[in-house]
Amino acid sequence: MSDRPVHAAYAACPPEPTVHTAHLGATAAEFTPADILGPYWTPGSPARTDFLAEAALGDDAVHLSGTVRDRHGDPLAGVTVDVWQADPAGFYSGGFPDQQGYVGPALGFRGHQVTGADGRYALRTVRPGRYKISDTQERCAHLHFRLTAPAGTRAAVTLVTQLYFPDDPVNAVDPWERKNDPKLLMTRLVDSDQPEAYAFDFVLRTA
Ligand code: FE
């Protein structure tokens, strides 16, 4: 792990999520747990479902798909699903000051989409790189999510969380993944026609 970037800003992140109070106090086990926002979210991500334009030739594609559901299990339409992740070397786009040498697009590996009537979302990307948050601590591979359900007949809900890869050995020591294990692990789809495909359904704490 010595060649991984060190993101010291991460070390200042709180041990528990703080930006999604709508989820605090949720007791139903089936709600998707919140996770920390981290220091690298930016507003204004482009509308898109494919990050492969930023990937290097030879990076293996990762396919993730699933459904966003309400507390009753019904698909939720109109949910903005905002995703951001590190590139395969462990750097985030956005010009953050403690990121040494990232030269990708300003909004690389970032994008949002809005669910339709079926509540479905899908993402094509590559596996994010792990990175260090101190000289001794490393973050496992993870995808950041910010899901916002519209106000209306249901109360507006925002869920900030992260998804994890089931085969990453660093999961066991990651300061945040351990708290939610295994509820934020993606499910590997072994019968998919894609070489590396995962599924994850979000359940929002809707009114
Ligand atoms: Fe991160």
Side-chain angles (χ1 to χ4, degrees), residues 20-27 31-34 157-160 203-205:
H20 28 64
T21 51
H23 279 258
L24 298 179
T27 54
F31 295 141
T32 302
V157 167
T158 296
L159 169 66
V160 174
V203 182
L204 300 190
R205 190 173 179 267

Side-chain angles (χ1 to χ4, degrees), residues 7 10 36-40 84-86 92 129 131 139-140 142-144 162:
H7 297 328
Y10 239 101
I36 61 164
L37 179 71
Y40 298 123
W84 66 107
Q85 67 168 87
Y92 285 87
Y131 53 85
R139 289 231 59 199
C140 55
H142 58 279
L143 300 166
H144 290 271
Q162 303 179 32

Side-chain angles (χ1 to χ4, degrees), residues 49-76:
T49 61
D50 192 330
F51 296 168
L52 289 191
E54 288 94 275
L57 210 60
D59 285 339
D60 291 329
V62 167
H63 292 252
L64 168 65
S65 60
T67 303
V68 183
R69 301 182 184 280
D70 67 12
R71 64 188 305 149
H72 307 295
D74 296 326
L76 266 175

Side-chain angles (χ1 to χ4, degrees), residues 4-5 7 10 51-52 55 59-64 83-92 108-109 123-131 138-145 162-165 167-168 170-171 186 196 198:
R4 296 286 178 180
H7 297 328
Y10 239 101
F51 296 168
L52 289 191
D59 285 339
D60 291 329
V62 167
H63 292 252
L64 168 65
V83 188
W84 66 107
Q85 67 168 87
D87 72 6
F91 290 102
Y92 285 87
F109 292 104
L123 177 68
R124 193 161 73 134
T125 184
V126 294
R127 190 179 282 236
R130 298 195 292 254
Y131 53 85
E138 188 178 29
R139 289 231 59 199
C140 55
H142 58 279
L143 300 166
H144 290 271
F145 282 82
Q162 303 179 32
L163 298 185
Y164 299 95
F165 292 81
D167 64 347
D168 190 336
V170 178
N171 288 348
M186 297 179 288
E196 191 167 0
Y198 297 89

